[in-house]
Amino acid sequence: MKKINYIIVSGLIVLLSGCSDFLELSPKSKANENAFYKTESDFVTAMNSVYATLYTIYGPQSLPSYFGECASDNAWCNETAGDYTDKYQLTKHQNLTAANAIVLEFWNDYYESMFKINNVISKLQSAGEFAKKVQIEGECRFLRALYYFDMVRAWGDVPLILTPVTVSESYAVPRSPASVVYEAIITDLKFAASNLPAKSSERFKGAATSDAANVLLGKVYLTMGNKTAAAQVLQQEYGKFKLETDYANLWSLKNKNGVESIFEVQYLGGKANPYSKYWAIFTPLDNRIVTKWGMGGNQVTDDLYNAYEAQDPRRDASIQAGYKDASGTTIPAKFFIKWRDTAAEINGLTEAADNNFIILRYADVLLMLTEATGDAKYMNEVRTRAGLPAYGQAGYPAKYTTLAAALQHEEQVEFAGEFHRMFDLLRHGTAMEVINNCTKEHGTITNANQLVLPIPQYVVDQNPTVIVQNEAYK
């Protein structure tokens, strides 16, 4: 694991007024941690550093991106920069080993973020009372739950670390059973839901709220197979938000944190700011006309493109089917355009784009409610927004003969490119079938053990009697 420095790094200054809608970078602070946590302002600054971890954990080259999207049937990797061999192993389900450098990088990212979160929570316990104390703890615990939820779905059993520990101490922590990790996630989310304000009263644009905690809790319950509990918590959010009338408006740079948004990562365009890179990284490799260069990440598969029904406006709002090069030749490359920012300032070969990234939105609530209750009416609200026939009505695609199949189809086209797909397939128990039958180049998955990532070999080697490798990689 990367070395964790015991200093407070103030990654962001939050504009705390109710009308603010972005975060700005602030200078790094090297204040000693023991002397630093004295005032409410100190904790707010520390919390800003915690929120800054979202840029790594949900960035375009993160675990949710590679594992959630590019390892699914939705996307394929055409990157050549960096450890591209390791990226291909992960996204093709082919020759993946515990020595994979990308998997180690993801592991480090999560546990370094956990240290920051746990450090703030720990310091709060001994701090005096101040107005935002419980709220800051709730925000920390929401993010901790979100991150552990990613980890337990990607790796299975993982070390459950709820206090700040040194690097050497972390190697001595064994993997906790997934059931124990899920219970910790639930405990954190219940605390967050009980102690955070609603979205309408969020501390700043992009802050964790009780609504975000409830929606994530509903997804956790569904993943655990507890549909009754999921339905109960998700019903609390039903009707509190609205679908955007126009699906494409979700991605408008003028509509950040819109009516459908429940939790989204905040960016500010311009190379002097915390800008986003989704647009630059998800455009075709070395295109030099759609974007300055183009990384070739998360390229759209034919499977996804062909999954859209005729007249579904979400396809053209999500995917561009090709582009013309400098000579006017059409290049038939399919790529995501949800994060398009053609006016972005250029920083080297990268667009310093202004797009936010939505992690939770109301359409997810509706589709999860159909999964939890077996009632298609919620899913049909999403289809009505797209102007498509409702499930059970004339004109609905005949090939989706069950509600479960219809729901998985809807999730695929509604959330294309948003890092949902593999996690959804795993929850539904259809990942092996879907991956083995998709058209992109891939290896064969023969058992469910191959659907989780290996524990990085470097981590195992630090304490092989404590950290046990996942079965498929022994």
Side-chain angles (χ1 to χ4, degrees):
M1 295 177 67
K2 299 176 185 175
K3 182 179 179 181
I4 300 176
N5 295 311
Y6 289 81
I7 60 175
I8 303 304
V9 179
S10 177
L12 299 168
I13 289 292
V14 178
L15 304 184
L16 293 175
S17 65
C19 62
S20 67
D21 60 1
F22 59 88
L23 308 177
E24 292 183 345
L25 288 175
S26 69
K28 292 183 178 180
S29 165
K30 294 188 177 181
N32 179 274
E33 65 156 341
N34 292 320
F36 182 76
Y37 293 95
K38 292 182 177 179
T39 68
E40 178 175 312
S41 178
D42 293 338
F43 279 100
V44 169
T45 300
M47 191 61 212
N48 299 342
S49 181
V50 169
Y51 274 108
T53 64
L54 285 164
Y55 293 155
T56 299
I57 298 299
Y58 274 86
Q61 294 176 298
S62 62
L63 182 145
S65 177
Y66 282 115
F67 183 79
E69 199 68 42
C70 204
S72 78
D73 58 325
N74 274 2
W76 61 285
C77 181
N78 196 32
E79 296 182 54
T80 59
D83 300 315
Y84 62 88
T85 299
D86 294 310
K87 296 172 185 175
Y88 292 162
Q89 290 174 356
L90 172 61
T91 59
K92 291 181 179 180
H93 301 276
Q94 197 169 41
N95 302 318
L96 180 60
T97 72
N100 189 285
I102 301 299
V103 175
L104 174 60
E105 182 179 328
F106 294 157
W107 183 277
N108 291 343
D109 288 341
Y110 276 95
Y111 279 108
E112 289 180 9
S113 298
M114 289 299 180
F115 169 77
K116 292 183 179 181
I117 293 169
N118 288 332
N119 199 39
V120 173
I121 294 173
S122 176
K123 296 300 181 183
L124 280 169
Q125 307 312 312
S126 57
E129 294 302 316
F130 57 87
K132 295 186 177 71
K133 182 177 181 180
V134 175
Q135 186 170 346
I136 287 174
E137 181 177 354
E139 291 172 17
C140 277
R141 293 178 72 168
F142 170 82
L143 290 174
R144 184 168 69 180
L146 176 65
Y147 293 176
Y148 268 121
F149 188 40
D150 288 345
M151 293 180 73
V152 75
R153 290 180 294 172
W155 279 289
D157 301 348
V158 292
L160 180 62
I161 300 174
L162 303 178
T163 58
V165 298
T166 66
V167 174
S168 58
E169 287 172 337
S170 73
Y171 293 142
V173 180
R175 298 170 67 189
S176 295
S179 59
V180 174
V181 179
Y182 274 115
E183 286 306 314
I185 291 169
I186 290 170
T187 298
D188 275 350
L189 290 176
K190 285 183 175 180
F191 181 93
S194 297
N195 291 283
L196 291 178
K199 177 73 173 176
S200 57
S201 302
E202 61 191 348
R203 187 163 66 90
F204 59 89
K205 293 292 184 183
T209 65
S210 59
D211 297 312
N214 279 331
V215 173
L216 185 59
L217 181 58
K219 186 167 289 192
V220 170
Y221 280 137
L222 281 178
T223 302
M224 297 175 69
N226 190 341
K227 292 185 177 182
T228 300
Q232 289 174 346
V233 72
L234 291 170
Q235 285 288 358
Q236 296 177 43
E237 301 303 316
Y238 182 62
K240 291 184 69 173
F241 296 83
K242 298 178 181 179
L243 295 175
E244 291 286 350
T245 303
D246 182 355
Y247 179 81
N249 203 34
L250 282 162
W251 323 114
S252 170
L253 295 173
K254 298 179 180 179
N255 191 44
K256 292 183 175 184
N257 306 293
V259 296
E260 188 170 332
S261 174
I262 297 174
F263 185 68
E264 65 183 78
V265 186
Q266 309 293 303
Y267 289 95
L268 183 63
K271 62 184 181 182
N273 300 315
Y275 62 83
S276 68
K277 297 182 179 180
Y278 306 94
W279 177 230
I281 289 176
F282 295 163
T283 50
L285 178 66
D286 199 17
N287 67 80
R288 297 184 185 267
I289 193 164
V290 178
T291 50
K292 181 71 172 179
W293 182 57
M295 183 69 77
N298 285 12
Q299 299 296 280
V300 174
T301 63
D302 290 339
D303 300 78
L304 172 58
Y305 192 78
N306 295 332
Y308 289 90
E309 299 156 52
Q311 310 305 316
D312 188 340
R314 292 174 293 187
R315 188 192 70 181
D316 291 343
S318 303
I319 300 165
Q320 186 166 317
Y323 66 95
K324 291 185 183 297
D325 66 14
S327 67
T329 301
T330 298
I331 308 299
K334 301 180 181 71
F335 57 97
F336 291 113
I337 58 172
K338 287 180 173 178
W339 301 279
R340 179 164 48 196
D341 185 0
T342 56
E345 181 181 10
I346 302 299
N347 187 18
L349 293 176
T350 300
E351 278 70 18
D354 193 30
N355 323 84
N356 282 359
F357 183 85
I358 304 173
I359 295 177
L360 298 170
R361 57 185 176 90
Y362 188 52
D364 206 2
V365 174
L366 295 172
L367 295 184
M368 287 194 294
L369 274 170
T370 284
E371 182 178 348
T373 65
D375 192 336
K377 73 175 185 179
Y378 304 106
M379 181 180 72
N380 284 338
E381 291 184 38
V382 177
R383 290 187 60 80
T384 297
R385 189 259 298 275
L388 298 171
Y391 178 79
Q393 294 183 352
Y396 186 83
K399 65 180 178 179
Y400 304 116
T401 57
T402 66
L403 182 58
L407 179 61
Q408 290 181 59
H409 160 67
E410 206 62 37
E411 289 170 339
Q412 182 179 26
V413 296
E414 174 67 25
F415 299 115
E418 298 178 51
F419 307 171
H420 288 229
R421 179 62 170 169
M422 179 59 85
F423 295 121
D424 287 343
L425 293 175
L426 290 170
R427 187 175 74 249
H428 294 302
T430 56
M432 188 184 307
E433 176 186 359
V434 168
I435 299 302
N436 284 341
N437 289 288
C438 72
T439 61
K440 77 173 186 179
E441 183 182 347
H442 62 84
T444 301
I445 302 174
T446 59
N447 64 77
N449 293 326
Q450 294 171 255
L451 294 172
V452 293
L453 299 177
I455 304 300
Q457 190 60 47
Y458 180 81
V459 176
V460 175
D461 289 345
Q462 304 310 303
N463 204 328
T465 61
V466 171
I467 304 295
V468 180
Q469 183 58 265
N470 278 328
E471 190 64 31
Y473 308 99
K474 291 181 177 179

